[in-house]
Amino acid sequence: MCAPDGPPLGDERAATDVIGEGMYHGAVWAVVPVARFTDDFFRLSTRLAGEIVQKFANYRLKLAIVGDITSYTEASTALRDFVRESNRGTQLWFVPDAEALRVRLAPPSGAATYPAP
């Protein structure tokens, strides 16, 4: 989980730094607070969201964006659709808080769990 007060993710280079850190720690998910993203990320016309998400996908690191993005989704139907479609998949999730992410990551009820090797 990235700290909320770290450098902003405003370009592919910044995303690569987060990816490198995640890979160093053997992470499957990069959990990034919404405060770390620049406004351009949430304006789909800039293509920044697509570039950053593609970078994470290329390195096979999943991305969870944690925090309230209501002000952005209320202003953009396209972003609302992007968030809804992303949340249906397994590569990129937008969640309101860490608890919502924990619930999504929990195994389904009744699923067998195994101890780590």
Side-chain angles (χ1 to χ4, degrees):
M1 179 147 197
C2 296
D5 59 350
L9 273 80
D11 57 30
E12 285 186 68
R13 172 78 179 176
T16 302
D17 291 344
V18 171
I19 291 165
E21 188 73 17
M23 293 179 79
Y24 174 78
H25 291 289
V28 174
W29 283 91
V31 180
V32 183
V34 71
R36 293 281 297 272
F37 290 90
T38 64
D39 289 342
D40 281 349
F41 180 86
F42 298 101
R43 276 189 231 112
L44 297 182
S45 62
T46 67
R47 301 182 144 193
L48 182 60
E51 292 168 0
I52 288 176
V53 171
Q54 185 62 51
K55 183 71 72 175
F56 276 87
N58 289 347
Y59 284 94
R60 293 184 172 87
L61 184 62
K62 299 175 183 194
L63 176 60
I65 299 174
V66 179
D68 183 13
I69 61 168
T70 305
S71 63
Y72 295 110
T73 56
E74 285 179 348
S76 171
T77 301
L79 180 62
R80 241 186 340 266
D81 293 343
F82 177 70
V83 169
R84 185 178 55 252
E85 289 301 317
S86 296
N87 283 342
R88 288 181 180 163
T90 60
Q91 176 60 44
L92 170 65
W93 291 345
F94 293 86
V95 294
D97 52 43
E99 177 61 17
L101 178 61
R102 187 193 65 74
V103 168
R104 281 203 72 177
L105 290 172
S109 179
T113 58
Y114 302 96

